Amino acid sequence: MDVEHPTTTWEALQDGNVFYRKQQVYSIPGKLPHFGDFVVSGCRYGGPIALMRDTSKVTVLGGGSTAFAKAQIQVYSAAGEGLLLFSWDQGKIVRFGWTGDERLVVLNEEGTYRLYDLQGDYQQYSLGSDAAELGVIDARIHENGLVALTGSLSLLEVKGWEGGKPLTLANPGISQPPYSWTVIPPDLTVSRHVEVLLSVDSTVYSVDNLESTDQRLSRGPFSHLAPSPNGKNLALLTSSGALWVVSSDFQRSLADYDTTKAIGVSGQVRQVEWCGNDAVLVTWDTMALLVGPFGDTLQWFYAGPTFVITESDGVRLMSPDTCEFLQKVPTSSVAVFRPGSTSPSAILYDAWEQFIKRSPKADESIRSIRPELATAVNQCIDAAGMEWSPYWQRRLLNAAKFGKAFIDLYNSTDFVDMGQTLKVLNAVRFYEIGIPITYTQYTQLSPAQLIARLTSRNLHLLALRISSFLGLPSSAVLKHWACAKIARSKSTATADSELEDDVVCRSIVEKFEKLGGASVSYAEIARKAWEIGRTDLATKASALLDHEPRPSDQVPLLLSMKEDKLALSKAVESGDTDLVYHVLLHLQKRMALGNFFRLIEEGGPNLAPARNLLQVYAREQNRDMLRDFYYSDDRRVESAVLSLSEAASMSDPTSKISAVKAAQKFFSEDKERTFEAKMMEESARLLTFQQQLEKETDGKTSFFGQSINETLRTCLINGMSKRADKLKSDFKIPDKRRLIYVSMLERFWYVKLYALTEIHDWDGLDAFARSKRSPIGYQAFVKHLVEKGYHKEAIPYVARCDANKRVDLYVLCGDWRQAGKECKDRGDKAKLEELRGKCPNSLIARELETLASSMK
Amino acid sequence: MAAVPSTSPDDEQSTPTRPQDEDEPLLDVSVLKETARKALIDALNSVNGAKTLVLDSSLAGPLGLVTEVALLKHHGVDKMFWLEPGPLTATTTNVVYLCRPKIGYVKTIADQIKRHARESQRHTYTLFLVPRASTLVTRILEEEGVLGDVTLATYNLQFIPIADDVISLEHDNAFKEIWADGDETIVYNSMQALTTLQSHFGIFPRIVGKGDYAARLAHLVTKNLPTTSVDNSTSLLRSLSEKMDCLVVLDRRVDLVTPLLTQLTYEGLTDELIGIKNSHVELPVSLLNPPNAQNPPSAPSTSSAPPPASSLTKEKKRKHHLTTATDPLFAELRDLNFSAVGRKLNQVARRLDEDYKLRHQAKTVAQLRDFVGKLGGLQTEHQALRLHTGLSELLVPHTRTDIFNKALEIQQNLLASYDVNGQVAAIEELVAQGADMQIVLRLLCLASILTGGIKAKTLENLKREILQAYGYNHLPLLLTLASPSLAALLPNPLPASASTALAGASKFPYTTLRKSLRLLIEDPDPLEELENDISYVYSGYAPISVRLVQCVAQKGGVISNPAGEKDKKIAASDQSSGRTRVPGEVPKVQAHPIVGWKGFEDVVASIPGETVDIVQKVPGVSESGVPTVSTLMLPKERPTTTVVFFLGGCTYTEIAALRWVGRQNIGRKFLIATTGIISGVSMMESLADTELASGTSKDAAS
């Protein structure tokens, strides 16, 4: 058998209870430079590694490898294939690392950081001017953000990779840089916020954005700090070489191991990294030492310095000759392959082997595990996923298939899925692709992410095949492909570029239509074309942009291509007011005001919503612009209203009056608005009159800004009835022909009635009532007084009301006796009876009775 | 069936008025509340540590419906402030602002931040925008120079369930924003909220609508489906809903008449006269606290919204949450015509009394224990009864005033097109008497809309009266009401230069609608007789909006009173069977499937505004008529819900009317969705930019 048995790579720990296995994934002799001279950073989930010359170390000039006159970063796949090489022209790099979606973050001492994808395109962001001033001396980069240590030893956190504003964490209050430090990413902490651990003196400070806590340790300083992949535990290496594992809240000490005692230790510790969540790997230049949870160890020797990358289920180890994966052997593999295992899966596997050999023992074995057969099958499927070699994968799946046949109603979904997944995994593990991803990591990463990783390596065909194999939408791959295609076609000569554009455009659209990439964002592709200077392609291939169903993607691009009108109308069409604002504000900034107005005005009714929004915005934020806008368009009424709304917010009398007058002027310029102009004229007159009134009362009573009714009332309450009369006659309506409409006079009567009642001026009220025949009748007097609770005062006015209403009005006033008398006077016996039925007490009832009897 | 517990006759009578119809479960909209609540917690938790929360006051009410103060405290909120101009004293490092993306708010925030910077206070600012971020905010922060100091995020607050069958965006000014400002933001937000609704319950098989903006919304909803379903987070967007059969979109412009009228149901009248804000009503404390302090558990859940910073009212008032969850009595009362409320309260009081008396019958210990077990419930009911009796007593004096009754009379006469000139004169008299400006304007607009404009000269005089009585500062409001988009207060004939849009909008065919939609029940019988028709809620007038919904969902109800003819038969059979007829009991009819406007096309077309009728298809499965057939089949097979969305708000009375409609059918429930609850008062006030209050006599007195 040329394929070696899985257990050959196993090594036992804890008295043979636990096994670790170290498998060679790729053989890469001479493909990678000497790690000792480089700063290295690796990406998880089988991602690439990035290397940069470590300038703090001396190197032999012309020693075989390339000369590094300037800063260069090289990126290699896990299989040692060069993926990218770029040089760095900015300030000194302090740290680089990988994001979760496989982009390389490079941060320099000025606080500028770039995100490179594997094609060498980048976005650049900055940590802000403060960071630039203080300088950044170090940083820790995790998958969803980074924490930078500034020159003043404060910590800045950036969340996400969208160029968000850096957040200052609590000040640890240290006076010199920590010996070492690390961060626990936010998704792994209890608080869901990033936590920074700094080794200071003999202790560790843990810092988040609220506070800095001294953990009060005495074993420091620590030269290495490493959080476990699940963030629960922490590995610390003291300067004396003791490895100490604690829970990340420093409450439980888990293991303690003196690394100096290990055989063959020499020189500095290179790295302390976790192997999965339960063992720690410590590496020296030529040695790697695995320390298990109970202090038992395994060790390996290498020809030169190594680099290790923690994975969630193990650790990847890049040595000069090999790329290896070290992990705790998964339980399912142990169950199947462990020597002497009697687990159902082991027996199932054995049975299958017997079956292949046509031995009758197979039947016997199957029979013996009948009740647990389903478990056995599942375990075999799982174990297949854990194997690297297709040979063993196939054998285990065959065993599972064999076992499956003995079960009624077995759901084969898992089996089929595993078969599919393994096909994908084997494909991407192939050395030319170079993504050594395990099944566990694959399930964590998600298939879509894996496909994204392939497309970012320009492996579109493979990505497309995998996505169609797994039944995933192919749009993302197609989009990336189209962008790459456009970028690639850039180099063609300009002469026949037009022809070239057509070809590219057609090939893209064709491909999309053929592969059903209906949901592809054409806008992004068009943007790509635009960004690299292929405007023609982007616009002329408005074929591209017109295919775009999402205005939110389309509009910004149109705007940046200066297709202003189109952008605006598309935005309006979308109904998304925010998008309209986006365009409006952008244009307002960029264009001359006149042109801006013209653009909006000429749009006709279609752009009406945009016009309205502009007004809403300008009314609150930019009144001058609004005034210009109305003026330029001869909108008199709107100008007047604007002027009025300004008047409303003014407190200074003079300017208020002049604002009202301005409104009047605007109205008078429109011949349809004579009424409004007249009203404004009255308004200004009233304001002036009120000003005068205030002067007369030495400012003790305020009148300014009241309505005519209120002014009348204030006058009357303050005993200025002369002025009230004047006001009444000044603002009387001159039209004499009105017949059915009440006039100013009637309103005046009501106001005066209310006012006099309010100040309890009963004599005044009486005089007023007698002054003239009331145009509002006297019933109004009675009703109002009763409503305000002055029943007694109301009674005298009843006599003046219409005869047929008096009885009820008296009742309203509570004067039953008078009501009864009224009935008697009018000889209305029935009404009297009715009163008697309703009256409140017997006393009155009796009186009414007497009245009634006297009527006969 | 001998074991049927003996229910009192009163119990039996109250069943028809109860909204919870046993057999058919509604859509469970509480999931929306849960989503909103969770989103809020997530938003708060994204800022680490203790924080000072600064709230836009228009959000406090809606938030109060979603969460309670304790929950906020639990998630690190140390102190809460209103977002108001002026300095902010925050004790915590984190300051969290939560507001709608309004320019005014953002400027206030910028001011506060700048002030802190001057006083060299260091804070971390996070601004949560509701329901989504806006370029406008970014721009203003940038112009004010504080963009760098603020972390912008969103809190996507969409539909909030305010009753079992009502969900609202609680966006108060939607009507004004759309028709006075021309700001369509709320249309887009409504689209997003409806899409969220679809993601919970599946795609509306059909969208029927009336009105220009309703059409726009309907098209937006259909257009935005395929794109949102791309991120297949919400798989329900890929299938037609099985629970909902139709979305009816009505924009407020289609029926301006209804909100202008005085609402007459219990809840509606409370809103008109006292004001209900985000389901909370302010009541005197004495009414809310049980007189004997021995039973605190019966105290209703009050003031879940943070208490206002300054309450300087004379008598102490407290906010009370009007909800049927804790107050089953309210469920029975809210949709009743106010004239019937007294009777109902009386009934309940008597029943309660009998229930209390049961204790005398309790002889054995077990019986006594049973009674004690029920006691808590009785006390709660007792307190509810007290509350509603008190609330009705508060309302009664209002309804007795001269002005209130005169306004009602004018409304009824206008609806009947009786002596229009006389009504206008009566309105003018109201001005002279100093009636509230909103009353006058509502009547005036009503007159203008119903009669196709007021005589130019008359209108001018009236406008002058109004300006003189209430202040010249109301001129812009009058202009707004006359603008083409609202066309609520127009002269007749229109000035020659008037735009065609205005001319079109001014032709509201009220008189024909009155006949074709059976809007007015002439000579209404005693109200109990009317109860079967939705016109019950306005004592004789059926809201146009609800009639339009009936055109879609209950065609028979438009043409004749669904109880009409059958009533007599039932009455006859009742008599023969010796059973007294239960007033208001409706002979239920199986709901017919949704077939759009069919049968009413002409009527609907005569109303200004676009008409829509879209059959939605599942993106990707765009096969020919297959889905249509299945939708046609649906209602027969299982009960469905019809969603009615009011763009621009609806009144409590319209909700009540729709509940009546829902009760008349078997197999169809209504879910009422709206941008907010409005009333004539709030509508006028928002149009006037809340300046109205200063002109009313109410405030002049204080």
Side-chain angles (χ1 to χ4, degrees), chain A residues 299-505:
Chain A
Q299 61 188 125
W300 299 274
F301 291 92
Y302 291 95
T306 55
F307 181 74
V308 296
I309 303 150
T310 296
E311 299 277 8
S312 56
D313 59 341
V315 63
R316 187 145 50 97
L317 207 147
M318 313 277 291
S319 75
D321 299 320
T322 54
C323 169
E324 294 169 322
F325 187 70
L326 172 62
Q327 72 179 143
K328 182 177 167 184
V329 180
T331 42
S332 55
S333 299
V334 173
V336 181
F337 291 122
R338 186 191 150 148
S341 170
T342 54
S343 75
S345 51
I347 294 173
L348 173 64
Y349 183 76
D350 182 58
W352 173 75
E353 277 189 329
Q354 299 292 344
F355 173 71
I356 296 293
K357 290 183 202 148
R358 298 168 186 256
S359 154
K361 268 190 186 165
D363 180 52
E364 202 176 298
S365 305
I366 286 285
R367 231 182 267 258
S368 72
I369 54 163
R370 205 61 195 259
E372 298 137 311
L373 199 53
T375 333
V377 170
N378 288 340
Q379 220 156 29
C380 276
I381 295 173
D382 195 54
M386 299 305 165
E387 285 305 316
W388 284 88
S389 135
Y391 174 83
W392 289 106
Q393 291 166 2
R394 208 172 300 126
R395 284 180 81 88
L396 284 162
L397 283 180
N398 275 331
K401 193 165 77 184
F402 173 68
K404 187 158 83 77
F406 291 91
I407 309 174
D408 307 326
L409 300 172
Y410 181 79
N411 183 352
S412 304
T413 319
D414 288 348
F415 179 78
V416 175
D417 282 352
M418 182 57 83
Q420 276 190 339
T421 308
L422 283 174
K423 256 189 170 165
V424 172
L425 289 181
N426 291 336
V428 299
R429 283 171 189 167
F430 184 58
Y431 76 96
E432 281 178 8
I433 312 296
I435 303 178
I437 190 168
T438 65
Y439 179 73
T440 320
Q441 292 165 24
Y442 170 80
T443 48
Q444 284 168 5
L445 188 66
S446 85
Q449 277 290 323
L450 181 67
I451 290 167
R453 291 192 164 203
L454 292 173
T455 50
S456 72
R457 286 167 167 78
N458 271 353
L459 298 166
H460 297 113
L461 185 60
L462 181 63
L464 197 62
R465 288 202 176 140
I466 289 182
S467 58
S468 59
F469 180 64
L470 294 177
L472 295 169
S474 53
S475 53
V477 181
L478 285 174
K479 189 185 80 189
H480 195 278
W481 167 79
C483 292
K485 176 137 191 116
I486 289 168
R488 208 48 77 73
S489 70
K490 182 183 175 184
S491 50
T492 52
T494 46
D496 53 2
S497 70
E498 206 146 299
L499 192 75
E500 199 69 21
D501 285 352
D502 270 351
V503 172
V504 172
C505 181

Side-chain angles (χ1 to χ4, degrees), chain A residues 165 193 209-210 572 574-578 585 612 617 620-621 672 675 682 707-708 741-742 747 750 754, chain B residues 46 48 107 132 134-135 139 143 148 185 188 216 220 428 433 458 460 464-465 468-469 471-472 497:
Chain A
K165 180 176 149 314
H193 292 274
N209 58 354
L210 293 179
V572 169
S574 77
D576 183 349
T577 43
D578 191 45
L585 297 175
N612 293 332
Y617 159 75
E620 300 245 11
Q621 182 70 5
E672 300 240 323
F675 168 72
E682 271 185 27
S707 71
I708 291 187
Y741 303 110
V742 273
R747 229 173 50 231
Y750 274 111
Y754 296 166
Chain B
S46 71
N48 201 3
K107 285 172 94 170
R132 62 192 189 117
S134 153
T135 328
R139 175 63 173 272
E143 279 173 7
T185 310
Y188 194 77
R216 185 144 174 80
L220 279 179
E428 191 164 4
Q433 288 183 17
T458 318
E460 199 157 288
R464 173 199 294 264
E465 286 285 314
Q468 290 196 342
Y472 293 103
S497 65

